[in-house]
Amino acid sequence: MKSSFFGGGLLVAFLVVVVGLYTSAFTVTQNQQALVLRLGSPLPPITTPGLHWKVPFIDNVVYIDKRILDLENPSQEVIAADQKRLVVDAFARYRISDPLKYFQSVGTIEGANSRLATILNSSLRRVLGESTFIQVVRDEREGLMARIREQVNHEASNFGITVVDVRIRRADLPEANSQAVFQRMQTERQREAAEIRAQGSEAAQRTRSRADREVTILVAEANSRGEKLRGEGDAERNQIFAAAFGKDPEFFTFYRSMQAYEASMKQSDTKLVLSPDSDFFRYFKGPFGGVPQPGATSSAAPAGAVPAAR
């Protein structure tokens, strides 16, 4: 009887030890941090992964995420320094750096997101409200995001949170304002295009006028030079004719008459009605117009014969 009672006591003691060991051991993974609460009071946080111990039925373990967490902020309207409304869509990435302060200030991920969203919205309005539309959209976007991250990180440190990054996903004008801006930009581009076309037409007209003037000058100079050369040629020809006429007037008259015959008797529709006694046909009557030459007889050539060239 005593042995059975003793054996039952040992079994109960063994079960108590097993349950105590089971309830006093807990593990922390690589992506977790642990905070042990002893009767509601927090102990120093556990940040190293592995097997850890607690007092059974007295200590309570709260696990806190060690990974980088996301904060998606809804779009909101911000008024820039140049009084333009912007629809800003931003997000943040953060991690819990002080589990004890985090647990005491916000307690949960939902509470942390709510507090960070308020801080992020305030920082967005404060920083972007000091900047112009062009600075936010194009010129200084990286610098503005860095300033917002610094401000959010400074205020989030009170909650045991470190902000890793803040990004502006989109910063645009409201839809109604965007259409007005696009229309104004289109009108401005059309005005610039019309101005450029007008400048091009003016430049083209100047080029054409200059080219026409140069062509007129070149043609006038060429005509002047041609007339000068033609005059010089006529003068030289007249000199040659005069010299030939002075040497042998009769032969010169005969040569010019032969040229006149050739020019007037070419095949054409022109008809000449002349008297046979006309002086134009004087060389058809006889040698050198029927004028006796020294040493020539009266029967040297029949009447109407064409004289031979000398």
Side-chain angles (χ1 to χ4, degrees):
M1 183 69 181
K2 290 182 179 180
S3 60
S4 61
F5 179 79
F6 181 74
L10 289 177
L11 180 60
V12 171
F14 177 75
L15 291 176
V16 170
V17 171
V18 171
V19 172
L21 290 174
Y22 179 77
T23 56
S24 63
F26 65 95
T27 58
V28 178
T29 62
Q30 287 83 356
N31 58 358
Q32 289 178 332
Q33 304 175 85
L35 192 63
V36 178
L37 304 179
R38 180 164 294 171
L39 299 177
S41 298
L43 298 178
I46 300 172
T47 58
T48 57
L51 182 64
H52 299 274
W53 303 93
K54 66 176 181 175
V55 178
F57 310 109
I58 296 177
D59 293 346
N60 186 26
V61 179
V62 177
Y63 293 99
I64 299 173
D65 206 324
K66 197 176 182 180
R67 296 170 297 181
I68 294 178
L69 304 175
D70 300 335
L71 173 63
E72 295 293 337
N73 195 44
S75 300
Q76 59 175 326
E77 283 196 4
V78 177
I79 299 177
D82 51 2
Q83 302 304 312
K84 291 185 178 179
R85 293 183 176 273
L86 297 174
V87 177
V88 180
D89 183 9
F91 66 90
R93 299 289 183 265
Y94 69 95
R95 66 169 174 264
I96 300 170
S97 57
D98 190 338
L100 180 57
K101 188 181 293 188
Y102 164 81
F103 179 77
Q104 292 175 340
S105 58
V106 293
T108 62
I109 298 296
E110 291 75 15
N113 286 342
S114 177
R115 300 294 292 273
L116 285 178
T118 302
I119 296 173
L120 178 58
N121 292 336
S122 300
S123 182
L124 282 172
R125 294 181 183 277
R126 184 165 53 250
V127 173
L128 300 185
E130 300 173 354
S131 306
T132 63
F133 172 76
I134 298 300
Q135 290 174 336
V136 174
V137 174
R138 185 188 62 188
D139 293 344
E140 301 180 7
R141 190 159 180 165
E142 288 291 334
L144 294 175
M145 289 189 294
R147 288 176 55 191
I148 295 171
R149 184 184 68 250
E150 292 175 0
Q151 293 185 9
V152 175
N153 192 34
H154 176 72
E155 297 187 34
S157 62
N158 297 325
F159 310 133
I161 294 173
T162 300
V163 177
V164 177
D165 195 13
V166 174
R167 290 289 169 177
I168 298 176
R169 183 183 291 114
R170 184 174 65 92
D172 296 326
L173 293 171
E175 186 63 27
N177 294 358
S178 297
Q179 295 299 327
V181 170
F182 292 155
Q183 184 66 31
R184 186 165 63 250
M185 291 173 62
Q186 184 179 9
T187 302
E188 181 66 18
R189 295 300 180 271
Q190 290 175 350
R191 185 191 64 79
E192 291 180 0
E195 183 177 354
I196 292 173
R197 291 193 187 96
Q199 293 175 355
S201 299
E202 182 181 357
Q205 185 63 34
R206 287 198 303 268
T207 303
R208 282 194 291 267
S209 300
R210 185 168 58 252
D212 292 342
R213 182 173 65 252
E214 292 177 356
V215 168
T216 302
I217 294 174
L218 289 175
V219 171
E221 291 177 351
N223 290 335
S224 175
R225 185 178 180 185
E227 292 296 330
K228 181 179 179 181
L229 293 176
R230 190 176 295 109
E232 293 175 354
D234 291 341
E236 186 174 356
R237 181 191 62 182
N238 292 335
Q239 290 177 358
I240 294 173
F241 283 162
F245 182 78
K247 291 182 178 181
D248 193 342
E250 184 60 30
F251 177 75
F252 182 77
T253 303
F254 171 75
Y255 177 72
R256 295 301 299 272
S257 296
M258 292 299 103
Q259 288 182 332
Y261 293 158
E262 182 180 4
S264 62
M265 295 182 182
K266 289 181 178 179
Q267 293 182 356
S268 64
D269 295 335
T270 304
K271 295 182 180 180
L272 298 176
V273 180
L274 299 173
S275 172
D277 298 333
S278 173
D279 190 59
F280 182 74
F281 294 110
R282 59 181 293 193
Y283 287 103
F284 283 90
K285 298 177 181 179
F288 300 100
V291 180
Q293 297 297 316
T297 61
S298 59
S299 59
V306 179
R310 292 191 297 179

